[in-house]
Amino acid sequence: MDATAEAGDRWTAVDEYISELLVGADPVLEAALDDSRAAGLPPIQVAPPQGKLLYLLAKIVGAGQILEVGTLGAYSTIWLARGLAPGGRLVTLEVNPKHAEVARANLARAGLADVVTLRLGRAVDSLAQLESEGAGPFDLVFIDADKETNPDYFRWAMRLTRPGSLIVVDNVVRHGAVIDAHSTDPSVVGTRRLNDVMAAERRISVTEIQTVGSKGYDGFALALVLGD
Ligand code: SAH
Ligand code: DHB
Ligand code: MG
């Protein structure tokens, strides 16, 4: 079943209802979406209610440092950066130069050019670089890039966080495909490997929540980093 047939219009209508009533219209975020669309970026950013959740999680942990893997047009980046504590900083990693260019313009318009650093390149390389520079610890990590590399992104997140940090991973359900142990889809294989890594990791407490909405049927992982 594809996402459109599965979702029908109802999940989207409810997402719109929630967004209008509780999330609120925001010209800067709307402009980021408009310019991302105009530049031909894929419309795969988090939905507004999930963007608001990222903002709330940043506030809840009192995040002074946030790391994002997968920027696209910086829609989720803006939500996260707005949740930073005063003086806080966000690092976001993106491999696609066109996405990065759109993202930088969107961040500048949001007044976040000095708060957010975008690193262009393969995320695994940027993550290694961040560690060698002694960056972090990050209080919140949002993993939302190529799904096949999620096990590596999660391992890097563990190295770059501290007890009390949160690690959020997007798209861990993908229309239920995650339960197909025989799948050869690299995204599904990557997500299942991520789940195996998280299941074996004693230094976290983790759950995954299934979601429906304008992006169809999916889900996210939420892991709290514990002490050793
Ligand atoms: N977090 C964004 C959506 C990200 S979409 C939002 O919700 O607004 C995934 C992004 O990851 C794309 O822009 C894609 O170019 C990027 N990406 C894919 N593979 C990558 C890699 N190996 N390293 C860094 N970024 C990557
Ligand atoms: C895709 C990627 C995402 O991060 C997402 O939230 C939805 C879809 C994709 O690559 O298709
Ligand atoms: Mg995503």
mmCIF file of all heavy atoms in Angstrom, residues 22-64:
data_model
loop_
_atom_site.group_PDB
_atom_site.id
_atom_site.type_symbol
_atom_site.label_atom_id
_atom_site.label_comp_id
_atom_site.label_asym_id
_atom_site.label_seq_id
_atom_site.Cartn_x
_atom_site.Cartn_y
_atom_site.Cartn_z
ATOM 1 N N LEU A 22 -2.941 24.678 17.087
ATOM 2 C CA LEU A 22 -1.976 24.536 18.186
ATOM 3 C C LEU A 22 -0.532 24.878 17.809
ATOM 4 O O LEU A 22 0.261 25.230 18.676
ATOM 5 C CB LEU A 22 -2.024 23.097 18.731
ATOM 6 C CG LEU A 22 -3.387 22.671 19.280
ATOM 7 C CD1 LEU A 22 -3.373 21.189 19.632
ATOM 8 C CD2 LEU A 22 -3.774 23.499 20.503
ATOM 9 N N VAL A 23 -0.188 24.707 16.561
ATOM 10 C CA VAL A 23 1.193 25.001 16.158
ATOM 11 C C VAL A 23 1.314 26.459 15.732
ATOM 12 O O VAL A 23 2.238 27.159 16.130
ATOM 13 C CB VAL A 23 1.661 24.036 15.033
ATOM 14 C CG1 VAL A 23 3.076 24.363 14.580
ATOM 15 C CG2 VAL A 23 1.571 22.582 15.513
ATOM 16 N N GLY A 24 0.339 26.909 14.929
ATOM 17 C CA GLY A 24 0.308 28.321 14.559
ATOM 18 C C GLY A 24 1.038 28.614 13.258
ATOM 19 O O GLY A 24 1.999 27.934 12.912
ATOM 20 N N ALA A 25 0.545 29.617 12.548
ATOM 21 C CA ALA A 25 1.180 30.017 11.293
ATOM 22 C C ALA A 25 2.452 30.780 11.609
ATOM 23 O O ALA A 25 2.539 31.480 12.611
ATOM 24 C CB ALA A 25 0.227 30.889 10.478
ATOM 25 N N ASP A 26 3.441 30.622 10.759
ATOM 26 C CA ASP A 26 4.716 31.305 10.985
ATOM 27 C C ASP A 26 5.298 31.689 9.637
ATOM 28 O O ASP A 26 5.680 30.821 8.854
ATOM 29 C CB ASP A 26 5.666 30.368 11.730
ATOM 30 C CG ASP A 26 6.959 31.074 12.096
ATOM 31 O OD1 ASP A 26 7.735 31.405 11.188
ATOM 32 O OD2 ASP A 26 7.178 31.291 13.297
ATOM 33 N N PRO A 27 5.380 32.989 9.350
ATOM 34 C CA PRO A 27 5.823 33.441 8.031
ATOM 35 C C PRO A 27 7.228 32.955 7.652
ATOM 36 O O PRO A 27 7.484 32.652 6.488
ATOM 37 C CB PRO A 27 5.819 34.972 8.152
ATOM 38 C CG PRO A 27 5.101 35.306 9.402
ATOM 39 C CD PRO A 27 5.042 34.087 10.262
ATOM 40 N N VAL A 28 8.125 32.868 8.632
ATOM 41 C CA VAL A 28 9.500 32.452 8.331
ATOM 42 C C VAL A 28 9.548 30.972 7.928
ATOM 43 O O VAL A 28 10.233 30.586 6.977
ATOM 44 C CB VAL A 28 10.416 32.734 9.543
ATOM 45 C CG1 VAL A 28 11.752 32.038 9.384
ATOM 46 C CG2 VAL A 28 10.608 34.239 9.698
ATOM 47 N N LEU A 29 8.797 30.156 8.643
ATOM 48 C CA LEU A 29 8.747 28.733 8.296
ATOM 49 C C LEU A 29 8.021 28.516 6.979
ATOM 50 O O LEU A 29 8.423 27.683 6.159
ATOM 51 C CB LEU A 29 8.076 27.937 9.423
ATOM 52 C CG LEU A 29 8.927 27.765 10.679
ATOM 53 C CD1 LEU A 29 8.079 27.274 11.851
ATOM 54 C CD2 LEU A 29 10.075 26.794 10.414
ATOM 55 N N GLU A 30 6.946 29.283 6.756
ATOM 56 C CA GLU A 30 6.210 29.187 5.476
ATOM 57 C C GLU A 30 7.130 29.575 4.320
ATOM 58 O O GLU A 30 7.148 28.916 3.277
ATOM 59 C CB GLU A 30 4.996 30.134 5.468
ATOM 60 C CG GLU A 30 3.946 29.864 6.540
ATOM 61 C CD GLU A 30 3.291 28.502 6.381
ATOM 62 O OE1 GLU A 30 3.137 28.054 5.240
ATOM 63 O OE2 GLU A 30 2.958 27.902 7.426
ATOM 64 N N ALA A 31 7.901 30.631 4.509
ATOM 65 C CA ALA A 31 8.812 31.082 3.453
ATOM 66 C C ALA A 31 9.895 30.033 3.194
ATOM 67 O O ALA A 31 10.288 29.802 2.037
ATOM 68 C CB ALA A 31 9.448 32.422 3.841
ATOM 69 N N ALA A 32 10.355 29.383 4.241
ATOM 70 C CA ALA A 32 11.357 28.319 4.077
ATOM 71 C C ALA A 32 10.781 27.187 3.228
ATOM 72 O O ALA A 32 11.457 26.644 2.344
ATOM 73 C CB ALA A 32 11.815 27.807 5.433
ATOM 74 N N LEU A 33 9.534 26.845 3.490
ATOM 75 C CA LEU A 33 8.882 25.779 2.709
ATOM 76 C C LEU A 33 8.658 26.217 1.268
ATOM 77 O O LEU A 33 8.906 25.449 0.337
ATOM 78 C CB LEU A 33 7.532 25.394 3.347
ATOM 79 C CG LEU A 33 7.607 24.677 4.693
ATOM 80 C CD1 LEU A 33 6.197 24.363 5.196
ATOM 81 C CD2 LEU A 33 8.422 23.390 4.567
ATOM 82 N N ASP A 34 8.205 27.459 1.087
ATOM 83 C CA ASP A 34 7.963 27.978 -0.270
ATOM 84 C C ASP A 34 9.249 27.952 -1.088
ATOM 85 O O ASP A 34 9.254 27.500 -2.234
ATOM 86 C CB ASP A 34 7.434 29.420 -0.216
ATOM 87 C CG ASP A 34 5.996 29.489 0.288
ATOM 88 O OD1 ASP A 34 5.339 28.419 0.335
ATOM 89 O OD2 ASP A 34 5.538 30.585 0.640
ATOM 90 N N ASP A 35 10.330 28.448 -0.514
ATOM 91 C CA ASP A 35 11.586 28.521 -1.263
ATOM 92 C C ASP A 35 12.191 27.136 -1.486
ATOM 93 O O ASP A 35 12.844 26.907 -2.509
ATOM 94 C CB ASP A 35 12.578 29.439 -0.552
ATOM 95 C CG ASP A 35 12.207 30.912 -0.744
ATOM 96 O OD1 ASP A 35 11.102 31.175 -1.277
ATOM 97 O OD2 ASP A 35 13.005 31.794 -0.369
ATOM 98 N N SER A 36 11.979 26.224 -0.547
ATOM 99 C CA SER A 36 12.454 24.847 -0.735
ATOM 100 C C SER A 36 11.722 24.210 -1.907
ATOM 101 O O SER A 36 12.326 23.556 -2.766
ATOM 102 C CB SER A 36 12.215 24.021 0.532
ATOM 103 O OG SER A 36 12.956 24.559 1.613
ATOM 104 N N ARG A 37 10.428 24.429 -1.952
ATOM 105 C CA ARG A 37 9.593 23.894 -3.043
ATOM 106 C C ARG A 37 10.019 24.510 -4.371
ATOM 107 O O ARG A 37 10.226 23.804 -5.358
ATOM 108 C CB ARG A 37 8.117 24.205 -2.757
ATOM 109 C CG ARG A 37 7.128 23.358 -3.534
ATOM 110 C CD ARG A 37 5.678 23.709 -3.164
ATOM 111 N NE ARG A 37 5.386 23.592 -1.741
ATOM 112 C CZ ARG A 37 5.033 24.585 -0.939
ATOM 113 N NH1 ARG A 37 4.918 25.822 -1.404
ATOM 114 N NH2 ARG A 37 4.792 24.365 0.344
ATOM 115 N N ALA A 38 10.174 25.830 -4.371
ATOM 116 C CA ALA A 38 10.539 26.536 -5.611
ATOM 117 C C ALA A 38 11.896 26.063 -6.142
ATOM 118 O O ALA A 38 12.117 26.025 -7.353
ATOM 119 C CB ALA A 38 10.563 28.040 -5.363
ATOM 120 N N ALA A 39 12.781 25.682 -5.235
ATOM 121 C CA ALA A 39 14.113 25.218 -5.651
ATOM 122 C C ALA A 39 14.107 23.742 -6.043
ATOM 123 O O ALA A 39 15.147 23.199 -6.423
ATOM 124 C CB ALA A 39 15.114 25.462 -4.523
ATOM 125 N N GLY A 40 12.946 23.103 -5.921
ATOM 126 C CA GLY A 40 12.829 21.704 -6.333
ATOM 127 C C GLY A 40 13.303 20.698 -5.307
ATOM 128 O O GLY A 40 13.530 19.527 -5.630
ATOM 129 N N LEU A 41 13.449 21.121 -4.047
ATOM 130 C CA LEU A 41 13.830 20.164 -3.016
ATOM 131 C C LEU A 41 12.662 19.196 -2.762
ATOM 132 O O LEU A 41 11.498 19.605 -2.856
ATOM 133 C CB LEU A 41 14.187 20.899 -1.712
ATOM 134 C CG LEU A 41 15.645 21.331 -1.535
ATOM 135 C CD1 LEU A 41 16.156 22.094 -2.735
ATOM 136 C CD2 LEU A 41 15.817 22.154 -0.272
ATOM 137 N N PRO A 42 12.959 17.945 -2.420
ATOM 138 C CA PRO A 42 11.857 17.007 -2.149
ATOM 139 C C PRO A 42 11.097 17.432 -0.892
ATOM 140 O O PRO A 42 11.728 17.857 0.083
ATOM 141 C CB PRO A 42 12.572 15.667 -1.944
ATOM 142 C CG PRO A 42 13.972 16.023 -1.576
ATOM 143 C CD PRO A 42 14.285 17.321 -2.266
ATOM 144 N N PRO A 43 9.767 17.346 -0.907
ATOM 145 C CA PRO A 43 8.970 17.812 0.245
ATOM 146 C C PRO A 43 8.910 16.766 1.358
ATOM 147 O O PRO A 43 7.849 16.235 1.667
ATOM 148 C CB PRO A 43 7.594 18.066 -0.373
ATOM 149 C CG PRO A 43 7.507 17.066 -1.477
ATOM 150 C CD PRO A 43 8.908 16.858 -1.995
ATOM 151 N N ILE A 44 10.067 16.478 1.925
ATOM 152 C CA ILE A 44 10.132 15.397 2.913
ATOM 153 C C ILE A 44 10.500 15.910 4.304
ATOM 154 O O ILE A 44 10.867 15.136 5.180
ATOM 155 C CB ILE A 44 11.116 14.290 2.458
ATOM 156 C CG1 ILE A 44 12.503 14.863 2.157
ATOM 157 C CG2 ILE A 44 10.575 13.561 1.233
ATOM 158 C CD1 ILE A 44 13.562 13.799 1.847
ATOM 159 N N GLN A 45 10.423 17.232 4.509
ATOM 160 C CA GLN A 45 10.697 17.783 5.844
ATOM 161 C C GLN A 45 9.635 17.293 6.835
ATOM 162 O O GLN A 45 8.555 16.877 6.448
ATOM 163 C CB GLN A 45 10.721 19.321 5.808
ATOM 164 C CG GLN A 45 9.391 19.978 5.489
ATOM 165 C CD GLN A 45 9.028 19.950 4.020
ATOM 166 O OE1 GLN A 45 9.893 19.884 3.151
ATOM 167 N NE2 GLN A 45 7.737 19.991 3.706
ATOM 168 N N VAL A 46 9.968 17.378 8.101
ATOM 169 C CA VAL A 46 9.000 16.991 9.140
ATOM 170 C C VAL A 46 7.731 17.835 8.981
ATOM 171 O O VAL A 46 7.778 18.983 8.535
ATOM 172 C CB VAL A 46 9.568 17.174 10.567
ATOM 173 C CG1 VAL A 46 10.721 16.218 10.815
ATOM 174 C CG2 VAL A 46 9.978 18.613 10.854
ATOM 175 N N ALA A 47 6.600 17.248 9.345
ATOM 176 C CA ALA A 47 5.336 17.985 9.333
ATOM 177 C C ALA A 47 5.352 19.010 10.482
ATOM 178 O O ALA A 47 6.090 18.834 11.467
ATOM 179 C CB ALA A 47 4.175 17.015 9.500
ATOM 180 N N PRO A 48 4.546 20.070 10.375
ATOM 181 C CA PRO A 48 4.562 21.105 11.425
ATOM 182 C C PRO A 48 4.393 20.567 12.860
ATOM 183 O O PRO A 48 5.149 20.995 13.748
ATOM 184 C CB PRO A 48 3.414 22.036 11.014
ATOM 185 C CG PRO A 48 3.379 21.913 9.516
ATOM 186 C CD PRO A 48 3.695 20.462 9.228
ATOM 187 N N PRO A 49 3.468 19.633 13.112
ATOM 188 C CA PRO A 49 3.362 19.163 14.505
ATOM 189 C C PRO A 49 4.635 18.477 15.000
ATOM 190 O O PRO A 49 4.970 18.566 16.183
ATOM 191 C CB PRO A 49 2.184 18.178 14.455
ATOM 192 C CG PRO A 49 1.371 18.617 13.265
ATOM 193 C CD PRO A 49 2.403 19.065 12.263
ATOM 194 N N GLN A 50 5.349 17.803 14.093
ATOM 195 C CA GLN A 50 6.601 17.167 14.516
ATOM 196 C C GLN A 50 7.715 18.200 14.650
ATOM 197 O O GLN A 50 8.590 18.066 15.522
ATOM 198 C CB GLN A 50 7.012 16.052 13.542
ATOM 199 C CG GLN A 50 8.123 15.175 14.127
ATOM 200 C CD GLN A 50 8.658 14.150 13.135
ATOM 201 O OE1 GLN A 50 8.084 13.915 12.072
ATOM 202 N NE2 GLN A 50 9.777 13.535 13.484
ATOM 203 N N GLY A 51 7.684 19.227 13.823
ATOM 204 C CA GLY A 51 8.633 20.328 14.004
ATOM 205 C C GLY A 51 8.462 20.946 15.380
ATOM 206 O O GLY A 51 9.437 21.211 16.097
ATOM 207 N N LYS A 52 7.217 21.157 15.756
ATOM 208 C CA LYS A 52 6.923 21.723 17.082
ATOM 209 C C LYS A 52 7.399 20.786 18.189
ATOM 210 O O LYS A 52 7.923 21.250 19.218
ATOM 211 C CB LYS A 52 5.418 21.989 17.207
ATOM 212 C CG LYS A 52 4.959 22.613 18.524
ATOM 213 C CD LYS A 52 5.167 24.096 18.577
ATOM 214 C CE LYS A 52 4.632 24.750 19.840
ATOM 215 N NZ LYS A 52 3.225 25.168 19.774
ATOM 216 N N LEU A 53 7.260 19.477 17.969
ATOM 217 C CA LEU A 53 7.759 18.505 18.955
ATOM 218 C C LEU A 53 9.275 18.647 19.123
ATOM 219 O O LEU A 53 9.784 18.618 20.256
ATOM 220 C CB LEU A 53 7.405 17.077 18.536
ATOM 221 C CG LEU A 53 7.982 15.972 19.426
ATOM 222 C CD1 LEU A 53 7.394 16.025 20.838
ATOM 223 C CD2 LEU A 53 7.743 14.590 18.817
ATOM 224 N N LEU A 54 9.997 18.803 18.024
ATOM 225 C CA LEU A 54 11.458 18.970 18.116
ATOM 226 C C LEU A 54 11.804 20.211 18.931
ATOM 227 O O LEU A 54 12.717 20.201 19.770
ATOM 228 C CB LEU A 54 12.074 19.054 16.718
ATOM 229 C CG LEU A 54 11.972 17.783 15.867
ATOM 230 C CD1 LEU A 54 12.448 18.062 14.447
ATOM 231 C CD2 LEU A 54 12.755 16.634 16.484
ATOM 232 N N TYR A 55 11.088 21.291 18.657
ATOM 233 C CA TYR A 55 11.255 22.539 19.425
ATOM 234 C C TYR A 55 11.001 22.297 20.918
ATOM 235 O O TYR A 55 11.795 22.726 21.778
ATOM 236 C CB TYR A 55 10.283 23.579 18.857
ATOM 237 C CG TYR A 55 9.996 24.757 19.732
ATOM 238 C CD1 TYR A 55 10.853 25.860 19.758
ATOM 239 C CD2 TYR A 55 8.857 24.783 20.537
ATOM 240 C CE1 TYR A 55 10.575 26.956 20.561
ATOM 241 C CE2 TYR A 55 8.574 25.872 21.343
ATOM 242 C CZ TYR A 55 9.443 26.951 21.357
ATOM 243 O OH TYR A 55 9.176 28.021 22.155
ATOM 244 N N LEU A 56 9.918 21.591 21.215
ATOM 245 C CA LEU A 56 9.577 21.329 22.622
ATOM 246 C C LEU A 56 10.631 20.449 23.297
ATOM 247 O O LEU A 56 10.999 20.694 24.453
ATOM 248 C CB LEU A 56 8.189 20.674 22.717
ATOM 249 C CG LEU A 56 7.014 21.583 22.350
ATOM 250 C CD1 LEU A 56 5.718 20.770 22.247
ATOM 251 C CD2 LEU A 56 6.854 22.697 23.390
ATOM 252 N N LEU A 57 11.119 19.447 22.583
ATOM 253 C CA LEU A 57 12.155 18.579 23.164
ATOM 254 C C LEU A 57 13.414 19.381 23.467
ATOM 255 O O LEU A 57 14.046 19.189 24.517
ATOM 256 C CB LEU A 57 12.473 17.416 22.212
ATOM 257 C CG LEU A 57 11.373 16.359 22.058
ATOM 258 C CD1 LEU A 57 11.745 15.379 20.946
ATOM 259 C CD2 LEU A 57 11.120 15.620 23.371
ATOM 260 N N ALA A 58 13.775 20.286 22.568
ATOM 261 C CA ALA A 58 14.947 21.140 22.812
ATOM 262 C C ALA A 58 14.734 21.976 24.067
ATOM 263 O O ALA A 58 15.639 22.108 24.906
ATOM 264 C CB ALA A 58 15.209 22.032 21.595
ATOM 265 N N LYS A 59 13.536 22.527 24.218
ATOM 266 C CA LYS A 59 13.217 23.313 25.421
ATOM 267 C C LYS A 59 13.249 22.442 26.678
ATOM 268 O O LYS A 59 13.776 22.857 27.717
ATOM 269 C CB LYS A 59 11.818 23.938 25.298
ATOM 270 C CG LYS A 59 11.621 24.879 24.141
ATOM 271 C CD LYS A 59 12.238 26.220 24.400
ATOM 272 C CE LYS A 59 11.211 27.206 24.915
ATOM 273 N NZ LYS A 59 11.801 28.574 24.900
ATOM 274 N N ILE A 60 12.681 21.252 26.581
ATOM 275 C CA ILE A 60 12.583 20.361 27.745
ATOM 276 C C ILE A 60 13.974 20.000 28.267
ATOM 277 O O ILE A 60 14.196 19.969 29.479
ATOM 278 C CB ILE A 60 11.770 19.091 27.390
ATOM 279 C CG1 ILE A 60 10.286 19.445 27.208
ATOM 280 C CG2 ILE A 60 11.932 18.013 28.465
ATOM 281 C CD1 ILE A 60 9.469 18.363 26.510
ATOM 282 N N VAL A 61 14.909 19.720 27.348
ATOM 283 C CA VAL A 61 16.265 19.366 27.803
ATOM 284 C C VAL A 61 17.123 20.602 28.065
ATOM 285 O O VAL A 61 18.257 20.482 28.510
ATOM 286 C CB VAL A 61 17.006 18.400 26.840
ATOM 287 C CG1 VAL A 61 16.273 17.089 26.710
ATOM 288 C CG2 VAL A 61 17.250 19.018 25.485
ATOM 289 N N GLY A 62 16.576 21.777 27.794
ATOM 290 C CA GLY A 62 17.360 23.003 27.978
ATOM 291 C C GLY A 62 18.578 23.020 27.089
ATOM 292 O O GLY A 62 19.684 23.388 27.505
ATOM 293 N N ALA A 63 18.381 22.638 25.842
ATOM 294 C CA ALA A 63 19.518 22.379 24.946
ATOM 295 C C ALA A 63 20.366 23.618 24.699
ATOM 296 O O ALA A 63 19.874 24.658 24.265
ATOM 297 C CB ALA A 63 19.010 21.818 23.619
ATOM 298 N N GLY A 64 21.649 23.476 24.965
ATOM 299 C CA GLY A 64 22.614 24.519 24.625
ATOM 300 C C GLY A 64 23.342 24.175 23.335
ATOM 301 O O GLY A 64 23.845 25.054 22.642
#
